[in-house]
Amino acid sequence: MVLVTTCAFLFIMNNIASAQSREHYTIGVGPTFVPFEIQAKNGSYNTAHPGLDVEILRAAAKKENFTYTLKVMNFAAAVQALEGNQVDGVIAAMMATPERAQKIDFSKPYYNVGLALAVPKGSSIKGYSDLRGKTVAVKTGSTSEQYAESIQKKYGFHITRFNDSNTELSNVLVGNSAAAIDSTATLLYSIKNKMNLKLVGKAANKNPVAFGVKKGHNQELLKRFNAGLAAIKKDGTYDKIVKFYTGEHSKSAIPVQSSADRTYFGLLKSNASSFGEGIKMTLEITVVAIFFATIIGIILGILGATPSKFLRGLSSSYAFVFKSIPVMVLAFFVYIGIPNLTGEKIPLFIAGVITIVMENSAYTASFVRGGIAAVDSGQMEAARSNGMSYFQAMRYIVLPQALRIMAPSFINQFIIALKGTSVLSAIGVAELTQQGTIIISRNMEGFKVWLLVSLMYLAMIGLLTYLSNLVKKHYQLEK
């Protein structure tokens, strides 16, 4: 049923897409990865200095007269989205390595970047030879991960992986990892922004950074980007951009925050719009998803209580499948897997809603079936003996009683759905967890920001729990 809805939606989106100009593209870009991508407080890149990657793309697009929409997601998801045709290209400080060139067609390089080893200040580690038996943090899907894997056996360290640089570096600061390998430019920016780290050893594994499209696809876009890049190099725009973000005298596109801005109140005040947008997106996805999940779940629950073995089997199979698959796997399947099969893109919001609907409708179907089973079977028999059909008896006699039993479970499922939206940050949905990640990448205040985010979830879930308790008391009194 959900898949039918998805196919109908994809058909509509296909008609819309065919009417759009071929000069408009969807470009995958990473969340804040300084100095290559720097998001504004509202999570957008619509600023004067959005980072080296985005500013070069903007300048090249202007020269070649094409437009684009940026789709924000972590690097590993961006590369998968490219493979799944969800984006036309990716610009995310992506190093053009031979391994990636097997699946990606790269543009002319627009920057060369090296990797460095970062350790906490005061650490006795002076280089890779001191890492034996220790844990090194890297970013999933990045060149730092590939490089770490290539030297792991030589230096005898363990590897732990993270989706973004700020979580990776925070892991080092709290002592869970002894060091991190990442882009030298990113590490220097982080240190400048008061992250208590230092670089040791020499920069290694230098690689060209380039724009990429899926192998054999979107060659016109690749051609335009190369032409635009050549044009901005010729007129001096490129040199100005690179000088602004890199080098000994580079300017920080995001000023280092004052001590006042780093207090809990300061962080809350200065990032109020980002937190607000995250809460809004979280609630919107939750409300829409739980609406459809409830409808689908009730229908499947009723089918699961019918005399028909086929319908009961259908209901049980649906519940088993979507209760068994982890939410994150569902999210990637919907957002990247389905487009890879159909060739049609699915908007992030729709992908998020479908993911939450699939999981929660399965659980709803289970407790609806249980609620119906809790109603005395004599109710159905009495209704049928009075001439009612099975579904008439279910609608007018059994369901009203079952719904009274199930009412608190519906609110509990609302809470589960709300918490489940946090997983959608993995595919780039700008809900509260994703906004927290973006905020931390700007100020490196991981503990304080995650505490604030936790309190916001606590407030929302506390309100829903209070409503759930009121419903329970209401039905207890009526009994």
Side-chain angles (χ1 to χ4, degrees), residues 365-399:
S366 295
F367 71 69
V368 167
R369 186 168 61 249
I372 293 172
V375 177
D376 191 281
S377 58
Q379 299 286 326
M380 174 63 76
E381 292 171 3
R384 295 299 302 275
S385 65
N386 284 323
M388 285 187 176
S389 68
Y390 176 84
F391 286 104
Q392 284 177 326
M394 181 65 70
R395 178 182 176 185
Y396 295 109
I397 305 299
V398 178
L399 269 185

Side-chain angles (χ1 to χ4, degrees), residues 88-108:
D88 300 310
V90 170
I91 188 162
M94 183 165 55
M95 295 186 189
T97 63
E99 293 82 6
R100 289 175 180 163
Q102 295 178 22
K103 291 284 187 177
I104 298 171
D105 286 329
F106 287 104
S107 69
K108 298 291 184 182

Side-chain angles (χ1 to χ4, degrees), residues 339-368:
N340 203 20
L341 288 173
T342 63
E344 302 297 334
K345 300 171 186 175
I346 301 179
L348 269 175
F349 182 85
I350 300 298
V353 168
I354 292 173
T355 299
I356 303 301
V357 166
M358 283 179 169
E359 186 204 24
N360 285 272
S361 60
Y363 283 100
T364 301
S366 295
F367 71 69
V368 167

Side-chain angles (χ1 to χ4, degrees), residues 170-477:
S170 295
N171 187 263
V172 175
L173 288 176
V174 299
N176 291 330
S177 298
I181 301 174
D182 211 323
S183 158
T184 305
T186 298
L187 293 173
L188 288 173
Y189 180 92
S190 301
I191 292 169
K192 181 179 180 180
N193 210 21
K194 297 188 177 180
M195 187 162 265
N196 200 28
L197 297 169
K198 65 179 181 180
L199 302 188
V200 295
K202 295 181 179 180
N205 200 44
K206 289 190 176 182
N207 278 294
V209 174
F211 173 74
V213 299
K214 184 177 179 179
K215 195 80 174 177
H217 294 68
N218 290 304
Q219 297 302 301
E220 180 63 24
L221 171 59
L222 192 64
K223 179 181 177 182
R224 284 176 173 232
F225 180 86
N226 281 329
L229 180 61
I232 63 174
K233 283 185 175 182
K234 185 176 181 180
D235 69 9
T237 303
Y238 171 83
D239 291 333
K240 290 179 182 178
I241 294 173
V242 172
K243 184 179 179 181
F244 183 88
Y245 292 103
T246 65
E248 187 178 349
H249 303 292
S250 65
K251 298 178 181 179
S252 174
I254 302 177
V256 175
Q257 291 185 304
S258 66
S259 298
D261 286 336
R262 290 178 177 273
T263 64
Y264 288 101
F265 179 76
L267 288 169
L268 191 61
K269 181 180 178 182
S270 60
N271 298 287
S273 60
S274 294
F275 283 129
E277 286 297 318
I279 291 172
K280 180 184 176 184
M281 178 62 75
T282 296
L283 292 175
E284 284 178 351
I285 290 178
T286 303
V287 170
V288 174
I290 208 69
F291 173 79
F292 287 107
T294 300
I295 294 173
I296 295 170
I298 289 175
I299 294 172
L300 289 170
I302 293 172
L303 294 180
T306 61
S308 168
K309 288 184 178 180
F310 173 76
L311 294 178
R312 290 202 308 271
L314 181 66
S315 175
S316 298
S317 298
Y318 181 95
F320 173 75
V321 169
F322 292 114
K323 284 166 66 177
S324 301
I325 301 175
V327 185
M328 186 175 291
V329 176
L330 273 178
F332 279 110
F333 171 74
V334 172
Y335 187 60
I336 294 172
I338 292 177
N340 203 20
L341 288 173
T342 63
E344 302 297 334
K345 300 171 186 175
I346 301 179
L348 269 175
F349 182 85
I350 300 298
V353 168
I354 292 173
T355 299
I356 303 301
V357 166
M358 283 179 169
E359 186 204 24
N360 285 272
S361 60
Y363 283 100
T364 301
S366 295
F367 71 69
V368 167
R369 186 168 61 249
I372 293 172
V375 177
D376 191 281
S377 58
Q379 299 286 326
M380 174 63 76
E381 292 171 3
R384 295 299 302 275
S385 65
N386 284 323
M388 285 187 176
S389 68
Y390 176 84
F391 286 104
Q392 284 177 326
M394 181 65 70
R395 178 182 176 185
Y396 295 109
I397 305 299
V398 178
L399 269 185
Q401 297 178 69
L403 286 173
R404 291 162 60 87
I405 299 170
M406 296 182 288
S409 297
F410 280 112
I411 297 179
N412 290 336
Q413 201 59 41
F414 201 123
I415 294 172
I416 293 170
L418 190 148
K419 291 193 294 183
T421 59
S422 62
V423 174
L424 301 178
S425 62
I427 60 172
V429 177
E431 43 66 69
L432 185 54
T433 301
Q434 176 76 338
Q435 293 291 356
T437 301
I438 294 167
I439 292 167
I440 292 169
S441 62
R442 292 197 298 261
N443 53 46
M444 305 302 170
E445 293 286 356
F447 175 80
K448 293 178 181 178
V449 173
W450 286 129
L451 179 58
L452 290 171
V453 170
S454 298
L455 291 174
M456 291 173 193
Y457 275 113
L458 189 63
M460 289 187 288
I461 292 171
L463 178 60
L464 289 173
T465 303
Y466 174 72
L467 292 175
S468 177
N469 291 334
L470 286 181
V471 172
K472 289 177 183 178
K473 289 179 180 179
H474 173 74
Y475 284 113
Q476 285 172 355
L477 287 174

